[in-house]
Amino acid sequence: MPPHGSKSDKQDASLLHRRDPYEVLGVSRNSTDQEIKSAYRRMALKYHPDKNANDPKAADMFKEVTFSYTILSDPEKRRQYDAAGFEAVETESQELELDLSSLGAVNTMFAALFSKLGVPIKTTVSATVLEEALNGVVTVHPLPLGTPISKKVEKQCAHFYSVMISEEETQGGLVCRVQSPDKSKFKLLYFDREETGGLNLALQEESTKVGKVTSAGMYFLGFPVYRLDQTANSMTSAKDPDAAFFKKLDGFQPCEITELKAGTHVFAVYGDNFFKSVSYTIEAFSAASFAEEKKNLRTVEAQILTKRVEISKFETEYREVLAQFTEMTSRYTQEMQVIDELLKQRNEIHASYTTGPPIKRSRSRIRGSFKDAKEDGQIRERKSTRDRPKKKKWFNIHLKVEKRKSC
């Protein structure tokens, strides 16, 4: 009977059969984040289960494309893979993006439950929405600058808006922001227009809770503006509480597009709730009058980048000191046990210095004496009660009645 392979052997075999993520996505090792995202979306759309329901090869290809993207889209995991291959990447903690539109009702309920319990669940834009946009069959509504529009979008659906900007307005920069008053989850999307007339997803921002609303924004200000991906390393942080602090700024990455050219640009609001629709307000406006805010933003983001480097160095020092503290704590406990044992032996030696026989009082004798004393007390109590004269009660008094003599 052939021996069963160990779990590590099976993992090594699976690693050997994995293709290079760059090869899977068809990109080079020097590709930018934007090029990797574009390649992933193109291939994910091609092999999506909704379009290949009865094709197992397409399903396997979709899994491989998704797995490759989870490595290359994370800066830390990409660096680890470039340095040492798959062995350096924690495959157990890979976060897959779910297309909620392709899940059944039961799976959607489980996903919503896990999300409520705090389990990080990343979602992706529905393949149907991306395909319709790529084929140019979506309805695009005009969004005038400085004019907010409030609407409600259904779950896993999108509302498309076109924003027209002039050459002068491009120099001042453009801001597009979306808010949801009912704290719903949504995505703010930006599309590039293809030569065929279709729309290709280029950027997306997840909504985050800010006070009493959820919001998302895109800032095209002519200089690198950073975005914070709060889902990065979320599973790792859940395993290691300290990592939640040290990895907090790992998702702080520059936006791929820093400025827009004059012309028409397309944004979309995608409903990302599990069950209900999303109420939102979208607004696009020129940033020319926000010179002070631009300056402050650049200053703060530069400080965040500096702090990220400092935190990385501090983590190394913290881990070393923590290891020393753990070692010292363990030694403290051991030393306390040794001291207590030595003092106990010393007391026993002191007690052995005597010329008389050792006094040993067995527990059985002590218990017996207590028992005898208790029984004696009970017997005395019974005797004292028997010796006491009985008191006559009034209803037992004998009343002697003499007969009256006749007159």
Side-chain angles (χ1 to χ4, degrees):
M1 186 173 179
H4 293 285
S6 64
K7 184 177 179 181
S8 60
D9 293 338
K10 293 180 180 179
Q11 289 179 348
D12 293 341
S14 64
L15 292 178
L16 290 174
H17 289 87
R18 289 196 184 278
R19 288 198 297 158
D20 180 26
Y22 294 99
E23 178 186 347
V24 173
L25 297 180
V27 296
S28 66
R29 288 183 173 269
N30 297 326
S31 298
T32 63
D33 293 341
Q34 179 59 35
E35 291 172 340
I36 292 174
K37 284 184 180 180
S38 299
Y40 163 69
R41 287 162 182 158
R42 182 174 61 254
M43 298 191 70
L45 189 60
K46 179 180 180 181
Y47 296 107
H48 198 279
D50 287 351
K51 300 179 62 178
N52 306 273
N54 299 319
D55 189 350
K57 291 184 178 180
D60 292 338
M61 190 64 187
F62 180 78
K63 293 179 181 178
E64 189 176 28
V65 168
T66 305
F67 178 77
S68 300
Y69 178 69
T70 57
I71 296 176
L72 300 185
S73 62
D74 187 308
E76 180 63 19
K77 292 173 184 174
R78 182 180 179 180
R79 183 190 62 78
Q80 292 174 351
Y81 174 79
D82 290 342
F86 285 111
E87 293 181 357
V89 181
E90 296 180 356
T91 55
E92 293 84 358
S93 64
Q94 295 295 331
E95 301 171 3
L96 300 180
E97 293 187 348
L98 298 179
D99 181 356
L100 298 180
S101 63
S102 64
L103 297 180
V106 176
N107 290 334
T108 302
M109 289 179 63
F110 277 115
L113 177 60
F114 289 143
S115 179
K116 285 288 186 181
L117 294 175
V119 179
I121 296 179
K122 297 181 69 174
T123 59
T124 184
V125 180
S126 167
T128 304
V129 172
L130 295 178
E131 186 177 11
E132 291 177 349
L134 196 59
N135 294 332
V137 294
V138 296
T139 302
V140 182
H141 301 279
L143 177 62
L145 290 179
T147 305
I149 295 179
S150 299
K151 282 190 177 182
K152 181 179 289 188
V153 62
E154 295 299 321
K155 59 183 178 67
Q156 287 81 61
C157 294
H159 288 172
F160 290 80
Y161 296 93
S162 62
V163 178
M164 184 177 294
I165 57 177
S166 63
E167 190 69 37
E168 182 181 356
E169 289 166 339
T170 59
Q171 296 177 1
L174 180 75
V175 175
C176 182
R177 299 191 67 217
V178 181
Q179 286 189 345
S180 174
D182 54 5
K183 297 183 181 180
S184 292
K185 291 180 62 179
F186 63 87
K187 300 179 189 294
L188 175 59
L189 312 176
Y190 173 76
F191 290 85
D192 282 332
R193 191 174 292 277
E194 301 288 327
E195 294 180 357
T196 59
L199 300 174
N200 184 31
L201 181 60
L203 295 175
Q204 73 175 36
E205 283 289 338
E206 306 285 339
S207 61
T208 57
K209 289 184 179 180
V210 181
K212 297 182 179 180
V213 300
T214 51
S215 66
M218 291 185 180
Y219 305 86
F220 309 95
L221 305 176
F223 58 86
V225 176
Y226 286 75
R227 55 187 297 271
L228 180 61
D229 183 4
Q230 297 183 344
T231 60
N233 298 312
S234 53
M235 292 297 291
T236 305
S237 301
K239 293 180 180 179
D240 184 3
D242 291 334
F245 167 70
F246 290 113
K247 303 297 183 183
K248 189 172 185 178
L249 298 179
D250 282 6
F252 194 67
Q253 300 296 328
C255 184
E256 295 85 352
I257 302 176
T258 60
E259 59 183 352
L260 301 178
K261 296 181 180 180
T264 302
H265 299 272
V266 178
F267 296 87
V269 181
Y270 178 80
D272 205 25
N273 280 336
F274 287 101
F275 300 108
K276 64 179 183 178
S277 57
V278 176
S279 298
Y280 69 90
T281 299
I282 183 172
E283 180 182 15
F285 50 88
S286 173
S289 60
F290 294 87
E292 187 67 22
E293 285 76 6
K294 290 182 186 178
K295 180 180 178 181
N296 294 338
L297 180 61
R298 298 189 73 166
T299 302
V300 170
E301 290 190 339
Q303 293 175 351
I304 293 176
L305 292 175
T306 303
K307 183 58 65 176
R308 183 171 64 180
V309 176
E310 294 176 359
I311 290 298
S312 180
K313 295 179 181 179
F314 173 61
E315 181 181 9
T316 304
E317 299 173 3
Y318 174 82
R319 299 288 184 187
E320 293 176 355
V321 174
L322 182 62
Q324 294 177 0
F325 174 77
T326 303
E327 182 182 354
M328 291 297 103
T329 303
S330 177
R331 181 180 173 183
Y332 173 86
T333 304
Q334 294 175 1
E335 296 293 353
M336 283 294 296
Q337 293 174 350
V338 171
I339 291 174
D340 291 342
E341 182 64 26
L342 292 174
L343 291 176
K344 180 180 177 182
Q345 294 177 11
R346 176 178 177 273
N347 292 336
E348 291 176 352
I349 294 173
H350 282 180
S352 65
Y353 282 93
T354 179
T355 56
I359 301 174
K360 293 183 179 180
R361 298 184 65 186
S362 62
R363 291 186 177 182
S364 59
R365 289 187 62 184
I366 296 174
R367 289 176 183 171
S369 60
F370 278 121
K371 186 176 180 181
D372 294 342
K374 187 176 181 182
E375 290 177 353
D376 290 344
Q378 291 176 350
I379 292 172
R380 290 173 185 171
E381 187 177 353
R382 290 197 202 102
K383 287 182 178 180
S384 61
T385 52
R386 280 200 298 266
D387 294 342
R388 292 174 187 170
K390 291 184 178 179
K391 293 183 179 180
K392 290 185 179 181
K393 298 182 180 180
W394 66 272
F395 49 82
N396 289 329
I397 298 176
H398 178 67
L399 299 178
K400 186 176 181 181
V401 180
E402 296 180 357
K403 292 184 180 180
R404 293 181 65 180
K405 295 179 180 180
S406 56
C407 295

